[in-house]
């Protein structure tokens, strides 16, 4: 007979039946003994020598097992007047908890194996194909919902970072470094100077017609104004101012354009320009390395900082919330994340888990957790838990005691 062969309803019924039969049998045996000793009444031979001994042995077997199983858990707490009598499981609960913790962590759930399982689980999760789309959707929802909160938190950081970099770039030291590395050589080195000179000459030659036109306009307007101021009467009666202006316009201005272009391309002009470029570079270098320049630059920054900060703050308030959403949903960012960042992150996490395996195992502290969990259970809860797991087996032991006790009584009858 096994617990699986009996239904969940028949087993408790048989247990209650055997219990009642055991108490009734013992009561009948006591009653028969009393009647025999006091009144001399003796039951029938078959009952007194056959049935009653077998039933009594069965009752003793059942009640012995019943008492033994009950004493595993009851009394739940020490009974002082019975010399602190207590059930075995409640009394030994601390030792049971410690032993369970050690056995489970050593034989069933070694922390090192749990760390390896954790490593495998993390690896599988980070390699799951739906991880990046799910992460992207979650980040997008978060960015859309909290874009203004995020913008308010990021705006001061971005503003301060930009201004720190701007101050560094606009410092006198950086300006001098830029001039010495870039602008100064561009003005003073011979190769760059000749190239700049060629550009200036070419541009000036290209502008020769514009220069001649400007001279023409200047002379025309000058002649008109001169005649109007010096000879107003002639201007009123003979239109002398217009005649003078027209005479200016009839000069050979094409020849002037050619002369201007030739003068610009002449060696004397190039020499003068070359000398001016060299002097300009030297003067700029002296100015950039002077205290006056550093003071001017510092005053310029201080004068414009408040306005620049205000402008930047307004722009950040306008564009940063939507920029956060755009960045959070940008496909290029997520493709880069999936192809570059996620594999690196996966390798980093797995490396850390493997390297810190002992610390992870120590942090699990399975032995201590199991011991604490068992100690935290009340004796009643432990009894209930054992009944849920093996209640049928305990009941079956009680029934088996009844059957074996009855068999032993039957054997004793035949052995007499």
């Amino acid at each position: 007979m096994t617990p699986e062969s009996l239904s969940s309803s028949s087993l408790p019924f048989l247990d209650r039946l055997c219990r009642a039969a055991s108490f009734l049998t013992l009561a009948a045996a006591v009653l028969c003994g009393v009647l025999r000793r006091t009144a001399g009444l003796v039951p029938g031979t078959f009952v007194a020598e056959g049935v009653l001994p077998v039933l009594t042995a069965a009752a003793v077997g059942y009640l012995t097992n019943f008492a033994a199983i009950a004493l595993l858990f009851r009394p739940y707490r020490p009974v002082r007047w019975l010399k602190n009598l207590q059930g075995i499981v409640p009394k030994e609960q601390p030792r049971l908890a410690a032993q369970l913790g050690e056995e489970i962590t050593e034989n069933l759930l070694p922390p090192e194996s749990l760390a390896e399982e954790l490593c495998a689980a993390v690896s599988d999760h980070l390699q799951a194909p739906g991880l990046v789309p799910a992460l992207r959707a979650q980040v997008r929802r978060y960015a859309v919902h909290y874009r203004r909160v995020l913008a308010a938190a990021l705006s001061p950081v971005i503003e301060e970072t930009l201004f720190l970099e701007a101050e560094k770039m606009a410092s006198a030291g950086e300006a001098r470094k830029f001039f010495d590395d870039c602008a100064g050589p561009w003005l003073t080195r011979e190769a760059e100077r000749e190239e700049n000179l060629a550009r200036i000459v070419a541009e000036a030659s290209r502008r020769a017609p514009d220069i001649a036109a400007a001279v023409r306009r200047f002379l025309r307007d000058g002649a008109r104004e001169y005649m109007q101021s010096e000879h107003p009467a002639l201007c009123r009666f003979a239109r002398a101012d217009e005649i003078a202006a027209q005479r200016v316009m009839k000069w050979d201005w094409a020849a002037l354009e050619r002369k201007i272009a030739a003068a610009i391309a002449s060696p004397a002009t190039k020499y003068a320009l070359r000398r001016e470029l060299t002097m300009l570079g030297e003067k700029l270098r002296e100015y950039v390395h002077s205290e006056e320049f550093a003071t001017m630059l510092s005053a310029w920054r201080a004068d414009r900082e408040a306005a620049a900060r205000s402008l930047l703050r307004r722009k950040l308030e306008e564009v940063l919330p939507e920029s956060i959403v755009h960045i959070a949903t940008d496909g290029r960012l997520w493709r880069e994340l999936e192809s570059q960042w996620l594999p690196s992150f996966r390798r980093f996490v797995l490396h850390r888990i493997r390297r810190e395996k002992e610390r992870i195992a120590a942090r699990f502290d399975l032995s201590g957790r199991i011991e604490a969990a068992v100690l935290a259970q009340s004796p009643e809860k432990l009894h209930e838990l054992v009944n849920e797991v093996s209640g049928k087996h305990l009941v079956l032991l009680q029934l088996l005691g009844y059957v074996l006790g009855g068999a032993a009584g039957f054997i004793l009858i035949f052995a007499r």
Side-chain angles (χ1 to χ4, degrees):
M1 181 184 296
T2 63
E4 288 76 11
S5 64
L6 298 169
S7 66
S8 58
S9 59
S10 61
L11 198 59
F13 172 74
L14 289 175
D15 181 56
R16 289 192 294 271
L17 181 63
C18 290
R19 193 179 308 167
S22 298
F23 283 112
L24 289 175
T25 299
L26 292 180
V30 171
L31 181 61
C32 288
V34 170
L35 290 176
R36 180 185 300 168
R37 291 181 178 280
T38 57
L41 298 176
V42 181
T45 304
F46 176 74
V47 174
E49 296 183 3
V51 176
L52 194 58
V54 172
L55 292 178
T56 301
V60 170
Y62 174 86
L63 292 176
T64 300
N65 285 2
F66 177 80
I69 292 171
L71 288 175
L72 286 173
F73 300 97
R74 290 189 171 88
Y76 292 133
R77 287 159 188 85
V79 180
R80 293 184 179 179
W81 52 275
L82 289 177
K83 296 184 178 180
N84 289 330
L85 178 66
Q86 188 179 10
I88 296 174
V89 172
K91 187 174 183 179
E92 300 296 332
Q93 188 172 355
R95 286 180 56 192
L96 175 65
Q99 193 68 27
L100 279 175
E102 291 178 4
E103 289 296 324
I104 291 176
T105 53
E106 288 179 6
N107 301 317
L108 299 180
L109 295 172
E112 294 79 5
S113 300
L114 288 179
E116 287 292 342
E117 291 294 329
L118 176 63
C119 187
V122 170
S123 177
D124 292 342
H125 183 70
L126 292 177
Q127 292 177 3
L131 175 63
V132 172
L135 183 62
R136 181 177 182 180
Q138 184 63 30
V139 169
R140 183 185 183 281
R141 285 194 295 270
Y142 184 87
V144 170
H145 188 72
Y146 293 103
R147 61 184 182 277
R148 300 201 178 278
V149 177
L150 290 172
L154 290 174
S155 181
V157 179
I158 295 174
E159 177 187 333
E160 196 61 32
T161 302
L162 290 176
F163 265 91
L164 286 175
E165 289 301 316
E167 284 184 357
K168 190 184 299 182
M169 293 173 62
S171 65
E174 288 294 322
R176 289 163 183 165
K177 186 175 182 299
F178 172 77
F179 183 85
D180 292 340
D181 293 343
C182 301
W186 185 75
L187 289 172
T188 57
R189 273 205 303 254
E190 184 175 355
E192 282 81 359
R193 185 179 59 197
E194 293 301 321
E195 184 179 349
N196 294 330
L197 179 62
R199 289 175 181 173
I200 292 172
V201 170
E203 182 64 19
S205 299
R206 190 180 68 82
R207 294 293 183 93
D210 297 332
I211 297 172
V215 173
R216 185 171 63 244
R217 286 192 300 273
F218 174 75
L219 291 177
R220 181 196 63 191
D221 297 339
R224 182 184 290 121
E225 291 173 1
Y226 173 77
M227 293 302 294
Q228 288 174 354
S229 61
E230 295 295 328
H231 305 284
L234 287 176
C235 293
R236 284 195 301 271
F237 295 104
R239 305 284 298 176
D241 54 342
E242 292 300 326
I243 293 171
Q246 289 174 8
R247 292 301 300 172
V248 170
M249 295 299 292
K250 289 181 179 179
W251 292 352
D252 189 359
W253 292 104
L256 180 62
E257 290 179 11
R258 291 191 295 272
K259 290 180 180 179
I260 292 173
I264 291 172
S266 67
T269 303
K270 290 182 178 180
Y271 174 78
L273 288 173
R274 188 179 294 111
R275 187 177 61 182
E276 288 297 324
L277 286 174
T278 303
M279 292 175 61
L280 176 63
E282 292 175 354
K283 289 180 180 179
L284 281 175
R285 185 181 183 285
E286 289 177 4
Y287 178 67
V288 168
H289 284 269
S290 67
E291 287 299 324
E292 180 185 356
F293 174 76
T295 304
M296 181 278 297
L297 192 60
S298 178
W300 179 82
R301 288 202 317 264
D303 183 54
R304 286 162 177 76
E305 181 177 355
R309 282 185 179 274
S310 177
L311 176 62
L312 179 60
R313 195 173 296 120
R314 288 199 305 272
K315 287 298 181 182
L316 287 175
E317 289 175 357
E318 292 175 7
V319 304
L320 194 54
E322 297 308 319
S323 298
I324 289 173
V325 176
H326 175 72
I327 293 171
T329 56
D330 186 71
R332 293 169 298 178
L333 171 68
W334 289 99
R335 285 192 295 272
E336 184 71 16
L337 177 100
E338 188 170 10
S339 62
Q340 300 294 331
W341 184 83
L342 192 59
S344 300
F345 178 73
R346 184 189 302 121
R347 289 192 296 270
F348 170 76
V349 170
L350 297 182
H351 173 71
R352 291 284 296 180
I353 291 177
R354 291 192 178 98
R355 195 177 72 177
E356 302 292 333
K357 186 187 300 184
E358 293 184 2
R359 284 185 57 191
I360 293 173
R363 290 192 64 179
F364 275 131
D365 189 22
L366 284 180
S367 178
R369 290 170 184 259
I370 294 170
E371 183 176 353
V374 174
L375 286 175
Q377 300 296 321
S378 65
E380 293 87 350
K381 188 66 178 179
L382 277 177
H383 192 178
E384 181 181 345
L385 180 63
V386 173
N387 276 338
E388 288 178 1
V389 174
S390 58
K392 287 184 178 182
H393 294 275
L394 296 179
V395 171
L396 187 60
L397 285 176
Q398 295 173 175
L399 296 178
L400 187 61
Y402 191 87
V403 172
L404 292 177
F410 190 76
I411 292 172
L412 287 175
I413 291 174
F414 277 99
R416 283 189 300 186

